[in-house]
Each structure stands twice: as structure tokens, then as C-alpha cells.
Amino acid sequence: SGSIGTGGVMTEDASKAGQTGGVCVVSALHLPTGGKWQLRQAKVMAVWPQPWSSMSYQASSVSVTLGEQLPILKLPVGSPGTLKPSDFFVACDTTPSLKWSFDSLLSTGLLEGYSVLEVAEDGGISISIARQMAAIFDTMASSGATRKKVTLNCGVWGMFPDHSLTPI
């Protein structure tokens, strides 16, 4: 016989903490060769994840100058008991067209090989433009007193530890 209850999962794996689920105990009798019956038990954690349905940052656009670092763009916390993304991916289109890449191992966005942003484990984004990126602007054509600029139009996706869950 068993009982049914509700509660949050308590585990050392912080990505599943607070999720709806529980621990099931499975019992069986085992008869080893030439021995006596022995009770064997195994514990199984069953989780019903409730992932975040969306995510958005408070700022929809920012501007930064060479050599400047912006305050971290924080990702607001989702509803209590929901599963937050564990990994993040950033894709950007650039104007003018430049080489953009995102190193998902380092969680770093690169523009023409220069680091321009980093995504923390909590989804916060740090934007810092090195003075050495002036080399990119030096190759751009100028038209009078117009300031040279590069525009990045980026999207951020959050992935969950359970890859069967759709990224947001």
C-alpha cells in the first residue's frame, strides 16, 4: 500500500528544486541462490516540471561605447515553483553585416572574434566593449561627421535541463 501526497522536490540538483513531484519507493523480494528471501528497495524521484513559459529582460535596447561596460541586464525571476532555464543561447544579426558567433561552452558572444557579451548562469547579461574593437570601426567607410556604429539585433533563448522541454 502507498500514499499520495503533494510537495516540492528537494534535491542537490538546484535545477529541479521546488518542482512538483516526489520520491517513490519501489520494494521487492529477492531470493539469492541458496539463500533466504531479502527485501530490496530502490528510491526513484519522479518530477513533473513546470517550466517558465517565457522570459524577457527589462531593457529592450541598450547603447554602449568602446571601452565601456554596462550594468548587468538581469533576467527577472519566474513564478515560484517553476523551472528556470539552465542554459542560454544568444543569436544576433548585425548592421553592417559582421561575423557573429556565440560560444555556448563559455556563454560568450563574439563579434568579429571580440567578446562583446557574457551570459551568467542566472541569465544575466554582461555587455562590455573592448577598446581593441576600434579596429572594426577603422575598416568601415565614413561619411563626414557621422558617427560609425554597429547595431546588433539579438534574441536570447533559454534551454531546460530536460531537453524534451521546448526552449523559450
Side-chain angles (χ1 to χ4, degrees):
S1 85
S3 63
I4 298 175
T6 60
V9 173
M10 296 178 68
T11 173
E12 290 183 22
D13 183 352
S15 67
K16 294 178 180 64
Q19 293 297 296
T20 301
V23 177
C24 302
V25 178
V26 179
S27 301
L29 291 174
H30 172 71
L31 180 61
T33 306
K36 295 192 284 185
W37 287 98
Q38 298 174 348
L39 178 64
R40 300 287 178 124
Q41 291 186 330
K43 293 181 179 180
V44 178
M45 182 174 69
V47 179
W48 182 26
Q50 301 296 313
W52 286 9
S53 59
S54 66
M55 62 181 206
S56 63
Y57 292 86
Q58 292 177 343
S60 61
S61 69
V62 296
S63 296
V64 63
T65 304
L66 287 174
E68 185 179 24
Q69 179 172 352
L70 295 181
I72 294 174
L73 300 173
K74 295 186 184 273
L75 181 62
V77 177
S79 301
T82 57
L83 181 66
K84 78 176 198 80
S86 59
D87 291 303
F88 298 89
F89 182 82
V90 180
C92 296
D93 291 325
T94 66
T95 305
S97 182
L98 298 170
K99 182 183 176 195
W100 165 264
S101 61
F102 185 76
D103 184 324
S104 55
L105 185 61
L106 299 174
S107 296
T108 302
L110 304 165
L111 183 65
E112 293 289 325
Y114 295 97
S115 173
V116 294
L117 63 83
E118 292 182 21
V119 183
E121 286 183 18
D122 66 358
I125 298 176
S126 174
I127 299 172
S128 179
I129 309 300
R131 289 197 183 277
Q132 293 82 350
M133 282 187 62
I136 294 172
F137 293 94
D138 291 343
T139 63
M140 295 169 61
S142 64
S143 55
T146 304
R147 190 174 203 180
K148 296 177 185 178
K149 71 176 183 174
V150 173
T151 302
L152 279 72
N153 185 15
C154 302
V156 181
W157 283 265
M159 279 81 65
F160 297 98
D162 180 346
H163 296 291
S164 69
L165 298 173
T166 305
I168 55 170

